[in-house]
Amino acid sequence: MATRKAGSRLETEIERCRSESQWERIPELVKQLSAKLIANDDMAELLLGESKLEQYLKEQPLRQGASPRGPRPQLTEVRKHLTATLDRGNLKSEFLQESNLVMAKLNYVEGDYREALNTYTRVGLDDLPLMAVPPYRLRMIAEAYATKGLCLEKLPISSSTSNLHVDREQDVITCYEKAGDIALLYLQEIERVILTNIQNRSPKPGPAPHDQELGFFLETGLQRAHVLYFKNGNLTRGVGRFRELLRAVETRTTQNLRMTIARQLAEILLRGMCEQSYWNPLEDPPCQSPLDDPLRKGANTKTYTLSRKARVYSGENIFCPQENTEEALLLLLISESMANRDAVLSRIPEHRSDRLISLQSASVVYDLLTIALGRRGQYEMLSECLERAMKFAFEEFHLWYQFALSLMAAGKSARAVKVLRECIRLKPDDATIPLLAAKLCMGSLHWLEEAEKFAKTVVDAGEKTSEFKAKGYLALGLAYSLQATDASLRGMQEVLQRKALLAFQRAHSLSPTDHQAAFYLALQLAISRQIPEALGYVRQALQLQGDDVNSLHLLALLLSAQKHYHDALNIIDMALSEYPENFILLFSKVKLESLCRGPDEALLTCKHMLQIWKSCYNLTNPSDSGRGSSLLDRTIADRRQLNTITLPDFSDPETVSDSSSSSSLSRTESPLHLFVSSHLHSHPKPDTFVWPPAAQSFSDPGPRQEHSLCNSPDVYFHGFPSLFSVSSVHATSVAASRVEQALSEVASSLQSSAPKQGPLHPWMTLAQIWLHAAEVYIGIGKPAEATACTQEAANLFPMSHNVLYMRGQVAELRGNLEEALRWYEEALSISPTHVKSMQRLALILHQLGRYSLAEKILRDAVQVNSTAHEVWNGLGEVLQAQGNDAAATECFLTALELEASSPAVPFTIIPRVL
């Protein structure tokens, strides 16, 4: 009895070791078994043969695609053990089947593929039971199917008939699919057994659980089927096979395999499948799919069934993706979680290989995440994912650079510059990185000194980055040019402008075929009022790049500086035919039309801009009450009587209170709501605003520089720019725009107006359109209409210095100098360098007889912008009134000289970005 119990325990232990692949313990257990039990010699031969074969494969693992090894001396003993067992035939039938399976495996290792297939035929592989068998038997059957598939792949087909090829391919794939299904079943079963043993173990500690290894044959069975499907052009079944493997309940052994499969499936979904060819993972695949090779034959469903299947995840609350990007993103986020969990962070030399493998695996996942999230414009989420990757990123340039790019795309420019500094440290010879940092610094951040340092890094790099030296000088010139615009002293402006000019000349000489170098050289010459020279270089730029919008715009402004307004307007119209949604061109067009075609055409363009704005930005105007029809529509429809139309004074409170009850034009609804209703209220209000993929983060108020509609950070970041003065692009206006934004939000909250949706720059664009319309109305002496338009801009940004300036213009038109004085002072309290406000304030002070203060303000304005001819003229008038005729004459002459080269709108309205 004691011997029988001992034998039972030994058999149980041997079965456990075989299931858990602890082959090094088998010889010692076989000795104990032979000593305690009689008539176990055949079983011992089987166990010894199997253990020696497995240990040999562990020491000399097989590789996919390796050539046959042939007989090996180490395998001679294995064959002797197995032959002895099979020749005597004393074992039970199930153990004889096991002996045959091991022998077939040995034949494959030695390269005798046909004999291995004959062995599987004799043993009846397809008839072997899967129910009520120990886990190791499941492993043996799974390996047998994988080995059979490998043998079929190795053996040539005797006939060249295409049908035989198709049948052979299907047989091979079926073998691998069965091997993979049974392998999953085995791994789930062995993990269940191990966990049960741990739970039932006595308080006395036992040996640690043995980590399972897939081995060559199980891994081949799990990974080979989908490879063949893709190779044969059957992407539908390949994707289906991936999903089958991923739906199986996970085990510790399959975690790395699961991450690999999830990553591969995500890559296929992103690169090889469109939304039209996608199908739900829980549905049957389509019979015909555009994914598959049209010449392929066969169904997209399985051709076999197993008596026992691996467990799969199921339940009511399981999430199921509905489109390909959603499924790809889900798979990649799972892969990222697993990569972070299993990351090897140790820096000791022994772990270097594991660390590199872990890093490579994680990098692939993050690259695919970049593709998936970038397609949807989810840069905020991408930057958060890549921030988690920083745990891998010590001295790894690729992840740092990806992180910097994602921060840029998410609008987090300040943080992106800091990350780019680390990229420069990791890769100092790459000139594109400091150029990218300089681009950010010159954009919404307006860190011009930092941009200058980055540009000098490229210029001073030497021969290693010689091909980027021209770009370095271009960036340096832009930094100097923008600093010159910011400089408050005239002497410093001239010094910086000379530096900018020299840098642009150097860039143009190094790269004469670069249209940007010629363009920026022309722009800098134009800012310095060297109009003929600027015309020559802008024509060179257009010869190199004939459709460049900024070059066309500069050419138009240069022509307007020479007073060729009709030619300039023709250039603007030609540019708008290529770029119909470019608001900067449209703003210039309004000014030129006012000069040479009259206010009617300018108002038509304002109406056109409102229509474009409405179509591009599906936003709800927070100040729109939806009453009445369009003021612009009425005035434009009656063009001949435009100057004679009389509209009510918008400042009259009775106009608003009586608007709903009066039917006459003079007492109907206010011009504000007449104007708003047609252009902003013809479509239903959206409940929410979803910005396009290149969305801007609220955390960084800077604009999206690459947006086609607003490609100038100068235009949208610095308040409402350069419509009325170049001072709006000064460094002080960067602060001013932030101050006026904060004050506008406070004022809006006090007025209980609805909050603005989405990023700021669409609303800034809308406000500029209203202010342009107001300026046109002021030009034709229409204070009521100008007030209506100004009020619309004020509803959006009540504390903008441009809005306050326009209020002052309207007050001047009404003859109310004291009110105008107050508005100009308020504008200057927001933006102390707003030249137009300074000039108009000084003009009023002059009219009031306060000559000394007027002179002080005008001299300050000259320091800010020495090319403003209106300021020089006003200074001459003030000096003349004070009796200083000689100085006044010099001012008048300077004003005449500057006016002769003054464009319709300032040259600085053109964006200066790298």
Side-chain angles (χ1 to χ4, degrees):
M1 178 67 72
T3 302
R4 184 177 302 172
K5 287 183 179 179
S8 177
R9 285 196 299 270
L10 274 175
E11 290 172 358
T12 302
E13 185 65 16
I14 289 172
E15 182 178 307
R16 186 181 69 81
C17 290
R18 293 179 75 185
S19 297
E20 298 178 9
S21 301
Q22 299 185 41
W23 304 110
E24 65 280 357
R25 296 192 57 202
I26 293 295
E28 181 62 30
L29 293 173
V30 167
K31 289 181 182 179
Q32 297 178 28
L33 182 66
S34 300
K36 294 180 180 293
L37 297 177
I38 304 172
N40 272 307
D41 291 342
D42 289 348
M43 190 66 192
E45 296 283 1
L46 168 60
L47 295 174
L48 289 173
E50 182 183 26
S51 64
K52 289 180 180 180
L53 176 60
E54 295 296 338
Q55 285 180 312
Y56 170 81
L57 293 175
K58 187 175 182 180
E59 294 169 1
Q60 302 183 37
L62 300 177
R63 294 286 183 266
Q64 183 67 39
S67 58
R69 296 184 175 183
R72 293 288 188 275
Q74 301 95 316
L75 300 177
T76 304
E77 292 186 15
V78 176
R79 184 169 290 278
K80 287 181 180 179
H81 289 305
L82 296 175
T83 302
T85 301
L86 292 171
D87 287 345
R88 287 194 290 266
N90 295 329
L91 291 174
K92 295 180 180 179
S93 59
E94 61 266 24
F95 294 123
L96 286 175
Q97 290 172 350
E98 293 177 9
S99 300
N100 278 299
L101 294 179
V102 178
M103 179 63 80
K105 189 175 181 180
L106 175 62
N107 288 329
Y108 172 80
V109 173
E110 291 184 339
D112 193 352
Y113 307 128
R114 196 167 298 280
E115 182 60 29
L117 290 175
N118 293 335
T119 304
Y120 289 133
T121 302
R122 288 196 302 271
V123 81
L125 181 59
D126 293 333
D127 299 326
L128 294 179
L130 301 176
M131 305 293 294
V133 295
Y136 77 86
R137 185 79 59 82
L138 296 174
R139 176 186 56 79
M140 294 183 75
I141 297 174
E143 290 183 342
Y145 275 114
T147 307
K148 182 179 179 181
L150 289 166
C151 291
L152 289 173
E153 277 197 276
K154 296 285 187 181
L155 289 176
I157 300 176
S158 57
S159 175
S160 60
T161 307
S162 61
N163 289 336
L164 291 178
H165 280 277
V166 173
D167 293 341
R168 170 64 68 86
E169 289 173 355
Q170 187 57 51
D171 290 343
V172 171
I173 291 175
T174 300
C175 288
Y176 287 138
E177 286 189 322
K178 288 182 178 180
D181 291 346
I182 300 172
L184 291 173
L185 178 60
Y186 157 70
L187 293 171
Q188 292 176 358
E189 192 65 19
I190 191 60
E191 184 163 285
R192 183 187 63 81
V193 170
I194 291 174
L195 291 176
T196 302
N197 291 338
I198 292 175
Q199 292 172 359
N200 295 336
R201 188 178 295 160
S202 63
K204 180 180 178 181
H210 181 73
D211 289 337
Q212 291 295 116
E213 294 183 2
L214 282 176
F216 170 74
F217 295 99
L218 292 185
E219 191 170 343
T220 299
L222 288 166
Q223 296 196 23
R224 187 65 180 159
H226 54 258
V227 171
L228 293 179
Y229 276 130
F230 295 137
K231 182 180 177 181
N232 296 337
N234 190 348
L235 268 68
T236 301
R237 278 299 298 135
V239 170
R241 183 62 185 167
F242 271 137
R243 288 170 169 176
E244 291 170 5
L245 296 174
L246 291 171
R247 287 190 63 198
V249 174
E250 182 180 357
T251 64
R252 289 182 57 188
T253 310
T254 58
Q255 285 178 353
N256 291 334
L257 175 66
R258 190 181 189 86
M259 185 175 70
T260 302
I261 291 175
R263 186 182 68 230
Q264 291 173 344
L265 177 55
E267 187 170 0
I268 290 169
L269 291 171
L270 290 173
R271 297 183 178 180
M273 182 180 291
C274 62
E275 295 181 0
Q276 289 73 23
S277 58
Y278 181 82
W279 75 97
N280 191 302
L282 299 181
E283 297 174 353
D284 294 331
C287 298
Q288 296 293 332
S289 173
L291 296 175
D292 301 335
D293 183 354
L295 301 178
R296 184 191 60 83
K297 299 179 181 179
N300 285 330
T301 56
K302 281 188 176 182
T303 57
Y304 69 92
T305 55
L306 295 176
S307 59
R308 187 180 178 190
K309 299 180 181 179
R311 299 190 306 278
V312 297
Y313 292 108
S314 60
E316 296 180 357
N317 297 324
I318 290 181
F319 172 76
C320 182
Q322 299 300 317
E323 51 99 21
N324 58 334
T325 306
E326 191 175 77
E327 183 176 352
L329 186 57
L330 173 64
L331 293 167
L332 290 172
L333 290 175
I334 292 173
S335 300
E336 185 214 5
S337 175
M338 297 174 71
N340 280 317
R341 181 191 61 193
D342 301 332
V344 179
L345 304 179
S346 174
R347 307 295 299 181
I348 62 176
E350 291 80 1
H351 293 165
R352 183 175 183 276
S353 177
D354 293 337
R355 187 179 69 252
L356 291 178
I357 293 173
S358 174
L359 172 65
Q360 183 180 9
S361 177
S363 296
V364 173
V365 172
Y366 285 113
D367 288 345
L368 292 172
L369 271 172
T370 302
I371 295 173
L373 294 173
R375 286 182 179 178
R376 296 302 176 120
Q378 298 295 327
Y379 300 114
E380 182 81 21
M381 184 177 180
L382 176 60
S383 64
E384 293 173 359
C385 291
L386 288 168
E387 186 172 6
R388 293 194 292 269
M390 290 296 100
K391 65 189 293 185
F392 302 96
F394 179 72
E395 300 294 321
E396 294 296 335
F397 170 79
H398 178 69
L399 287 175
W400 278 100
Y401 196 50
Q402 291 286 82
F403 185 35
L405 295 177
S406 69
L407 290 171
M408 285 179 58
K412 301 176 181 179
S413 302
R415 195 174 180 197
V417 171
K418 295 179 181 179
V419 177
L420 286 172
R421 289 185 189 277
E422 177 66 12
C423 295
I424 293 172
R425 186 188 69 80
L426 293 174
K427 208 169 183 180
D429 295 337
D430 190 344
T432 61
I433 306 171
L435 286 174
L436 200 58
K439 178 183 176 70
L440 285 177
C441 291
M442 286 185 286
S444 58
L445 295 175
H446 211 70
W447 295 351
L448 300 182
E449 290 78 10
E450 293 296 315
E452 180 185 346
K453 292 177 183 177
F454 285 123
K456 286 182 177 178
T457 302
V458 180
V459 170
D460 300 336
E463 295 301 322
K464 293 182 180 179
T465 59
S466 58
E467 66 271 22
F468 292 101
K469 186 161 289 188
K471 284 292 183 185
Y473 277 109
L474 191 64
L476 188 60
L478 286 170
Y480 286 142
S481 180
L482 290 169
Q483 288 181 64
T485 304
D486 287 352
S488 58
L489 296 177
R490 184 177 177 183
M492 183 58 68
Q493 288 178 6
E494 293 174 352
V495 171
L496 290 169
Q497 284 179 355
R498 284 195 296 269
K499 286 185 176 181
L501 201 57
L502 289 173
F504 288 136
Q505 288 172 342
R506 180 65 172 153
H508 184 57
S509 64
L510 288 173
S511 182
T513 59
D514 183 5
H515 76 280
Q516 275 196 326
F519 161 71
Y520 281 119
L521 178 55
L523 179 58
Q524 189 58 41
L525 288 167
I527 292 172
S528 302
R529 296 300 176 89
Q530 302 179 45
I531 305 301
E533 295 85 351
L535 275 169
Y537 283 109
V538 79
R539 289 192 176 103
Q540 288 186 30
L542 287 169
Q543 287 173 356
L544 295 169
Q545 187 76 24
D547 60 348
D548 180 55
V549 61
N550 292 327
S551 298
L552 291 170
H553 196 182
L554 178 58
L555 177 59
L557 294 185
L558 288 169
L559 291 173
S560 72
Q562 295 182 329
K563 313 311 174 196
H564 301 314
Y565 295 126
H566 287 281
D567 293 337
L569 191 53
N570 290 335
I571 295 293
I572 292 289
D573 287 335
M574 182 176 67
L576 284 171
S577 66
E578 292 290 331
Y579 306 95
E581 298 175 349
N582 190 300
F583 283 106
I584 306 176
L585 290 175
L586 289 166
F587 293 146
S588 297
K589 183 180 180 180
V590 170
K591 190 71 172 182
L592 288 169
E593 285 178 333
S594 298
L595 291 172
C596 64
R597 292 183 183 172
D600 299 348
E601 295 292 333
L603 289 174
L604 274 173
T605 302
C606 289
K607 174 185 175 182
H608 179 58
M609 282 194 288
L610 282 172
Q611 293 169 342
I612 293 176
W613 187 92
K614 186 168 62 174
S615 64
C616 292
Y617 307 109
N618 187 22
L619 300 175
T620 302
N621 189 357
S623 64
D624 188 358
S625 63
R627 298 184 299 166
S629 60
S630 168
L631 170 63
L632 277 185
D633 279 343
R634 295 190 179 186
T635 55
I636 291 168
D638 194 6
R639 291 187 200 177
R640 296 183 181 179
Q641 301 178 12
L642 179 63
N643 295 330
T644 62
I645 294 179
T646 302
L647 292 175
D649 188 348
F650 184 72
S651 61
D652 182 3
E654 296 180 4
T655 302
V656 178
S657 61
D658 297 340
S659 62
S660 59
S661 59
S662 176
S663 59
S664 65
L665 179 61
S666 61
R667 300 297 280 179
T668 55
E669 300 183 23
S670 70
L672 161 65
H673 296 297
L674 292 175
F675 203 163
V676 161
S677 300
S678 172
H679 298 298
L680 297 179
H681 220 59
S682 58
H683 291 306
K685 295 182 181 179
D687 294 328
T688 58
F689 166 60
V690 179
W691 191 244
Q696 180 182 4
S697 171
F698 281 89
S699 62
D700 191 341
R704 299 282 318 185
Q705 297 173 2
E706 63 270 26
H707 199 281
S708 62
L709 301 180
C710 38
N711 53 2
S712 169
D714 290 347
V715 170
Y716 287 104
F717 184 68
H718 312 310
F720 302 19
S722 36
L723 306 185
F724 312 112
S725 75
V726 294
S727 67
S728 57
V729 294
H730 279 234
T732 52
S733 283
V734 178
S737 65
R738 292 170 180 164
V739 171
E740 68 187 38
Q741 177 187 337
L743 293 176
S744 295
E745 290 174 357
V746 172
S748 297
S749 64
L750 292 176
Q751 295 169 6
S752 301
S753 63
K756 293 182 284 293
Q757 304 171 358
L760 284 178
H761 70 259
W763 298 111
M764 291 180 176
T765 305
L766 179 61
Q768 290 185 61
I769 298 171
W770 289 117
L771 292 177
H772 273 84
E775 188 180 27
V776 175
Y777 279 121
I778 289 173
I780 59 175
K782 292 282 186 178
E785 290 80 353
T787 302
C789 297
T790 305
Q791 183 61 38
E792 276 305 298
N795 288 337
L796 295 169
F797 297 96
M799 301 307 294
S800 168
H801 63 276
N802 282 298
V803 171
L804 298 173
Y805 165 75
M806 194 58 67
R807 287 186 184 277
Q809 288 272 279
V810 175
E812 273 196 84
L813 183 61
R814 295 180 185 276
N816 193 338
L817 296 184
E818 292 295 334
E819 182 184 353
L821 186 70
R822 187 179 73 252
W823 287 124
Y824 294 141
E825 288 175 345
E826 290 188 12
L828 289 173
S829 68
I830 299 295
S831 179
T833 59
H834 190 224
V835 173
K836 278 291 186 181
S837 294
M838 298 171 78
Q839 186 253 331
R840 300 306 302 181
L841 176 62
L843 181 60
I844 293 176
L845 291 172
H846 175 224
Q847 294 176 13
L848 296 176
R850 300 166 65 180
Y851 301 127
S852 298
L853 183 56
E855 180 185 353
K856 171 65 171 61
I857 292 173
L858 288 170
R859 290 190 182 278
D860 289 343
V862 166
Q863 289 294 324
V864 173
N865 181 16
S866 60
T867 61
H869 64 275
E870 302 96 336
V871 176
W872 284 103
N873 187 69
L875 182 58
E877 291 178 355
V878 171
L879 291 173
Q880 187 179 33
Q882 291 177 315
N884 192 348
D885 295 334
T889 302
E890 290 183 6
C891 291
F892 288 138
L893 290 174
T894 303
L896 284 172
E897 182 182 354
L898 291 172
E899 196 278 334
S901 61
S902 177
V905 294
F907 291 114
T908 49
I909 194 177
I910 298 176
R912 285 171 284 177
V913 293
L914 189 60

